[in-house]
Structures are given as structure tokens and as C-alpha cells.
């Protein structure tokens, strides 16, 4: 039993009402000193609202309390006052300024607080000490926009931890670092490095709240976890004692019976054949995608599988190779995204905010941006017709809320993904290529996305799904190709398509016989 009096964070009886809707109801969360504590829940479960209460962005309803290391917060808390309670946040998009240097990003809080001339030598020393403390090797003069996504994530966490130390009034004072979905855009290697850093943070006495949709990551890195569902706490688990299904049941309220996609009889007919790609780190003599087939591509980080959809679509230049598609042979060196769209190809990139949609545009504009000519009238765009069509599509694809005028960036990750899938699927593509289609998507929405993809395949499309999520591929794919060092080293079909076999093929680099 956890003693709230000795807790690093004790959230007690916190509720939040928007209009007539309760986003949080009598929530209690206890985080102990020096632990990694998971916070999970579907999109709309209340996670984001709770984080905004902790940051002071939202004022909770009267009657609740929040204590940090035994010190009661003044509620409602003014924005930014969380720093006074030795809390700091790292959000999914990290809060770094790409045009500034590592040093400037590291020391921005110190620099902006200065009233006199900046002592850059002292700032460099302080930044280097912080990086050295965690063994993170970065050039202080490097522009943040030029470093890898992995290094950016590490930099954001080191900066946050250093801010905690700066806020402490004594060496033995500790703080709370809140990581809000820090891993969706990181490769597995990056996740492992981030976890190493998180373990270092708690080894120094601070506590970490790790917010994620990824149950396996939560089970790997946390000591305990709190699950929210519909604004209430539906589970408080000791991680080592809880199974994957225990987490799933807490998140969605029931056990999921995982369905396996069965290849239709028409899948033997080739829909597309990719041939003769030979690039540094990637060699593809021939890969065929059947009509109605969902072909999974996977491997370890750096194995090359994730590059293939972008090369075929013309999003990444390629020196040679062909695509045989619907009886026509196309030269990939001449392929462009515009040409690919005209020929009936579709690509849904993994990086939703930057490459897949336009966050500042509405749901309607994102859904129909490739089909605007259908809505042109003598006086310009028929906005009402666009809104009606978008509302119809939102109903079909279960986008919530169904508000075509809402900005894409205001939606949860899962609902934004449904919008972007709708954008492509209303064009009935012959070849649908997906890169990590359920990245950052909660368990319940994940199954909805799967059904949309299966429907596209059953309607006759060939589907390529590149993913590092073995469980996703086991649920979704009718065939899986495993890459290593840029080449296909294993092909899994039938009963061989399961999480363990895919992992064994990836790590063992053994060629398995097709069933």
C-alpha cells in the first residue's frame, strides 16, 4: 500500500467539467519518490486534461487537492507555477527551437531570466555539466534542427532534468519529470536510449510520469501505472504483477479477442510488383503485392524496410527500379508524388504532424484536399458541399468529434489518423502504402484503423504496411517480409505470423519457409 503522505505527487479527488461534460471525475494518482509511473488511457480518457491541470493550464473543479512532496498546491494554480513545485514537462514535440543551438536550447530558461549581460562561458560550462551528468554527447554549437530525432528527445529530457535541479533549494530536493508521449516518432534504438536516460533520472532521486499509448513500453519502463477511462481511474497496477491483457482491460473495459486477417482467394493475383531497387543499404530484387493482400514489412532499426514505401511513391529519390502496377511498368527514378497519386498509389507517412496532414487546416480540407476539383463551381469552391461530404466521411470513419470545421491539429492522434486514411481511401487507391499506421493511437482506435485497412484490401487494393510493431503485424498482415541489412531475409505466412516468430526472424536473421 502506497502512503500518500510520503508521495512525490498525490492527486486527490480532482475533477474537471467543461460545460456540462465531466472530463475528470474524482481522480486520484499517487506517484512515489524515485519511481517511473505510467499514465495510460484511450484518446478522450482524461490524460491530457489531467496533465493540463498539473501544468496550471486548466483549473480543476473545487474540492480536489494536489500535493507535491507533501506541499499542497494552491488551486487554481497560475500558469507556469508548476516550476515552483519542482515539476517539469516534456511533450511529444519536445518544445525545442530547431533554429537555435543545443546550448541556446539547453540554457533558454537561464538566459531569458537574466537582466545583465549573458555570461556565455558560464552557460557553456553549465550546459556541458548537465549533458555529462547523463552521458549524452552533443556538440553545444550544433543547430538543433540538424541533429537526429533521438538526440533531440534526449536533449529535451536532459534540459528538463536540469531545470528540476535549478529549481531545488537544497541538494537533496527532488522533482517530478512528466514525459507526455515522448516515443511515437522514435525508432526502437531511440526508445532504448531514452529509457536508459529515464532510469538515470530516477536513480538520481527524481520521479518520472511516463504517458504513453504503448502498453509494451509502459510495461518495460514503469514501476506502477494508473489507467484512466472516461475521466475516472479504472486501474492502478503494479507493473511487474500485471499482464498485457490486464492493461488492455483497464484501458478499454474489456478483454480484446484479437482477430487475424485472412487473405482472400483473389490475393494470388499480383496487384503490384516492385523490382530492381538497389540503393545504399537497401536491395530489392523483387517484391509482389497481391490483390486484396496486406503485406507487412518489418525488421530492426536500420534494416531498410521503412524506406520502401517512400521510394515507390516518389517521396524519396531512387536511382533505379520499376513498379509493375495494373499492367503498366513505371520507372521509379521518374516517379513523383504527383504522378503516384494520378496512377492510383497512396502513402500515409508515419510522421502525422509534418508529412501526412496539415494541422492548421480543417478536417474537411485535409480529407478532400486531393479532390477539390470535384467541388469547384462558377464562383469558386462549394464550401457547403465540402462540409457535407466531410461530415459524411467522418461518420463513415468514426471521426470524433464530427466537426468538419475543426482544425486537424485539435484532434486526438487516433482521430487525426482516421481523417488522413479517409483522405486516401475515398480515391479508391490500387496500392495503399502505410508507415506505422497506428503509431501513437490508443488500443480501441487501433482496432478501428485495422478495420478500415482490411476494408480497403477487401475492396481489391494491395496494401503494404511498414511497421516496427510486431503485434500490429501479427493482427493485420496476411504475409510478412522481414528485412536485415537492406535485404529480405524471411517471409512469414499463415501460422508463422505471430509476434514471437516475427521477433525471432528479426533478431535471428533466419530465413523461414513459407507455409
Amino acid at each position: 500500500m502506497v502512503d500518500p503522505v510520503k508521495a512525490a505527487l498525490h492527486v486527490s479527488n480532482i475533477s474537471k467539467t467543461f460545460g456540462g461534460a465531466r472530463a475528470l471525475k474524482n481522480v486520484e494518482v499517487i506517484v512515489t519518490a524515485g519511481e517511473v509511473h505510467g499514465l495510460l488511457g484511450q484518446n478522450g480518457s482524461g490524460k491530457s486534461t489531467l496533465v493540463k491541470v498539473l501544468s496550471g493550464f486548466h483549473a480543476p473543479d473545487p474540492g480536489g487537492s494536489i500535493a507535491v512532496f507533501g506541499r499542497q498546491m494552491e488551486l487554481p494554480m497560475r500558469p507556469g507555477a508548476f516550476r515552483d513545485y519542482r515539476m517539469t514537462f516534456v511533450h511529444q514535440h519536445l518544445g525545442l527551437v530547431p533554429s537555435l543551438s543545443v546550448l541556446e536550447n539547453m540554457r533558454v530558461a537561464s538566459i531569458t531570466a537574466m537582466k545583465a549581460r549573458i555570461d556565455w562561458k558560464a552557460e557553456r560550462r553549465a550546459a556541458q555539466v548537465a549533458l555529462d551528468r547523463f552521458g549524452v554527447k552533443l556538440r553545444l554549437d550544433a543547430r538543433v534542427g540538424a541533429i537526429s530525432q533521438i538526440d533531440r528527445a534526449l536533449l529535451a529530457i536532459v534540459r528538463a532534468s536540469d531545470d528540476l535541479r535549478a529549481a531545488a533549494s537544497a541538494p537533496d530536493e527532488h522533482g517530478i519529470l512528466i514525459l507526455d508521449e515522448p516515443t511515437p516518432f522514435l525508432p526502437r534504438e531511440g526508445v532504448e536510449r531514452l529509457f536508459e536516460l529515464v532510469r538515470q533520472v530516477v536513480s538520481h532521486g527524481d520521479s518520472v510520469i511516463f504517458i504513453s499509448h504503448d502498453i509494451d513500453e509502459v510495461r518495460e519502463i514503469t514501476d506502477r501505472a494508473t489507467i484512466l477511462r472516461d475521466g475516472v481511474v479504472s486501474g492502478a497496477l503494479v507493473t511487474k504483477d500485471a499482464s498485457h491483457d490486464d492493461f488492455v482491460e483497464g484501458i478499454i473495459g474489456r478483454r480484446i479477442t484479437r482477430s487475424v486477417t485472412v487473405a482472400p482467394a483473389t490475393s494470388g493475383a499480383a496487384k503490384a510488383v516492385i523490382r530492381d531497387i538497389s540503393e545504399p543499404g537497401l536491395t530489392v530484387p523483387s517484391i509482389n503485392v497481391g490483390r486484396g493482400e496486406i503485406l507487412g514489412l518489418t525488421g530492426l532499426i536500420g534494416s531498410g524496410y521503412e524506406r520502401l514505401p517512400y521510394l515507390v511513391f516518389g517521396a524519396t529519390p531512387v536511382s533505379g527500379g520499376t513498379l509493375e502496377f495494373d499492367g503498366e511498368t513505371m520507372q521509379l527514378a521518374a516517379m513523383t508524388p504527383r504522378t503516384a497519386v494520378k496512377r492510383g498509389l497512396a502513402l500515409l507517412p508515419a510522421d502525422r504532424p509534418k508529412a501526412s496532414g496539415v494541422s492548421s487546416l480543417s478536417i474537411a480540407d485535409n480529407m478532400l484536399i486531393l479532390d477539390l476539383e470535384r467541388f469547384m463551381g462558377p464562383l469558386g469552391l462549394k464550401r457547403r458541399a465540402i462540409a457535407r461530404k466531410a461530415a459524411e466521411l467522418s461518420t463513415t470513419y468514426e471521426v470524433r468529434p464530427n466537426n468538419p470545421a475543426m482544425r486537424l491539429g485539435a484532434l486526438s492522434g487516433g482521430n487525426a489518423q482516421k481523417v488522413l486514411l479517409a483522405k486516401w481511401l475515398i480515391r479508391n487507391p490500387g496500392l495503399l502504402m502505410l508507415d506505422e499506421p497506428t503509431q501513437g493511437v490508443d488500443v480501441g482506435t487501433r482496432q478501428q484503423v485495422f478495420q478500415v485497412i482490411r476494408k480497403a484490401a477487401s475492396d481489391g487494393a494491395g496494401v503494404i504496411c511498414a511497421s516496427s510493431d510486431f503485434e500490429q503485424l501479427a493482427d493485420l498482415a496476411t504475409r510478412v517480409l522481414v528485412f536485415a541489412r537492406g535485404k529480405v531475409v524471411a517471409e512469414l505466412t499463415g501460422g508463422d505470423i505471430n509476434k514471437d516468430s516475427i521477433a525471432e526472424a528479426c533478431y535471428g536473421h533466419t530465413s523461414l519457409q513459407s507455409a
Side-chain angles (χ1 to χ4, degrees), residues 169-221:
S169 57
D172 60 347
E173 280 191 344
H174 301 298
I176 301 170
L177 170 60
I178 300 170
L179 300 180
D180 190 0
E181 297 279 6
T183 60
F185 301 119
L186 295 182
R188 181 61 205 174
E189 174 194 339
V191 173
E192 290 170 354
R193 287 180 62 191
L194 185 144
F195 283 180
E196 288 174 9
L197 187 53
V198 168
R199 293 184 183 103
Q200 285 182 272
V201 169
V202 295
S203 74
H204 293 151
D206 294 322
S207 302
V208 173
I209 298 176
F210 181 76
I211 303 169
S212 178
H213 285 303
D214 192 312
I215 293 171
D216 289 337
E217 288 183 358
V218 169
R219 294 180 69 204
E220 179 179 348
I221 190 60

Side-chain angles (χ1 to χ4, degrees), residues 38-156:
L39 182 62
L40 301 90
Q42 292 193 59
N43 297 318
S45 65
K47 299 191 309 296
S48 296
T49 302
L50 179 58
V51 168
K52 288 177 180 177
V53 167
L54 291 174
S55 69
F57 186 83
H58 288 326
D61 297 346
S65 67
I66 301 174
V68 182
F69 294 99
R71 179 187 172 194
Q72 289 291 326
M73 276 188 179
E74 295 182 10
L75 298 176
M77 182 173 58
R78 61 181 174 80
F82 60 85
R83 296 182 183 89
D84 299 337
Y85 295 90
R86 305 194 307 280
M87 290 197 303
T88 188
F89 297 77
V90 175
H91 298 286
Q92 186 179 89
H93 301 298
L94 305 179
L96 301 173
V97 182
S99 60
L100 297 182
S101 69
V102 169
L103 171 61
E104 290 164 332
N105 273 278
M106 275 284 296
R107 303 298 297 164
V108 63
S110 170
I111 291 169
T112 53
M114 286 184 178
K115 296 180 181 178
R117 184 179 178 182
I118 299 170
D119 185 345
W120 284 108
K121 287 186 178 180
E123 296 300 330
R124 290 183 73 89
R125 283 194 300 271
Q128 194 62 59
V129 166
L131 292 171
D132 290 346
R133 182 168 179 251
F134 293 103
V136 175
K137 299 186 182 301
L138 291 172
R139 285 194 309 107
L140 293 176
D141 295 325
R143 189 173 61 84
V144 164
I147 66 178
S148 71
Q149 185 69 21
I150 297 172
D151 285 336
R152 277 177 247 164
L154 300 180
L155 171 61

Side-chain angles (χ1 to χ4, degrees), residues 433-449:
M433 295 179 287
L434 311 162
D435 184 12
E436 304 288 3
T438 61
Q439 185 169 255
V441 172
D442 66 67
V443 174
T445 306
R446 180 185 178 109
Q447 295 297 319
Q448 294 175 333
V449 171

Side-chain angles (χ1 to χ4, degrees), residues 322-461:
T322 61
L323 171 66
E324 297 172 17
F325 179 60
D326 279 351
E328 182 182 0
T329 300
M330 293 172 268
Q331 299 297 321
L332 293 180
M335 185 71 79
T336 65
R338 182 185 295 271
T339 302
V341 171
K342 288 182 178 178
R343 298 295 176 87
L345 277 62
L347 171 65
L348 187 65
D351 193 343
R352 242 186 339 262
K354 293 183 179 178
S356 192
V358 183
S359 297
S360 60
L361 293 183
S362 68
I363 292 171
D365 288 341
N366 273 280
M367 277 184 172
L368 299 167
I369 195 167
L370 299 176
D371 294 273
L372 291 180
E373 68 275 6
R374 292 167 46 195
F375 298 93
M376 289 298 296
L379 300 178
L381 284 174
K382 299 177 181 177
R383 282 288 175 184
R384 289 185 180 177
I386 290 174
R388 283 195 300 272
K389 183 63 176 178
E392 176 189 323
L393 290 168
S394 291
T395 299
T396 300
Y397 290 93
E398 300 184 45
V399 177
R400 297 186 180 122
N402 187 342
N403 179 0
M406 181 180 283
R407 287 188 310 106
L408 182 71
L411 292 178
S412 66
N415 283 294
Q417 193 73 320
K418 293 180 208 173
V419 169
L420 299 171
L421 276 166
K423 174 182 78 172
W424 288 112
L425 294 180
I426 59 174
R427 300 181 62 82
N428 297 314
L431 181 62
L432 173 64
M433 295 179 287
L434 311 162
D435 184 12
E436 304 288 3
T438 61
Q439 185 169 255
V441 172
D442 66 67
V443 174
T445 306
R446 180 185 178 109
Q447 295 297 319
Q448 294 175 333
V449 171
F450 284 177
Q451 289 304 317
V452 170
I453 296 169
R454 291 183 181 119
K455 178 65 165 54
S458 69
D459 288 343

Side-chain angles (χ1 to χ4, degrees), residues 16 24 32 54 132 136 143 155 158-159 164 180 258 266-267 312 314 373 378 401 466 473 485 503 508:
K16 178 61 183 175
L24 296 174
T32 62
L54 291 174
D132 290 346
V136 175
R143 189 173 61 84
L155 171 61
V158 170
R159 180 179 69 178
L164 289 179
D180 190 0
R258 294 183 178 86
T266 56
S267 64
V312 173
E373 68 275 6
L473 293 175
R485 298 186 181 90

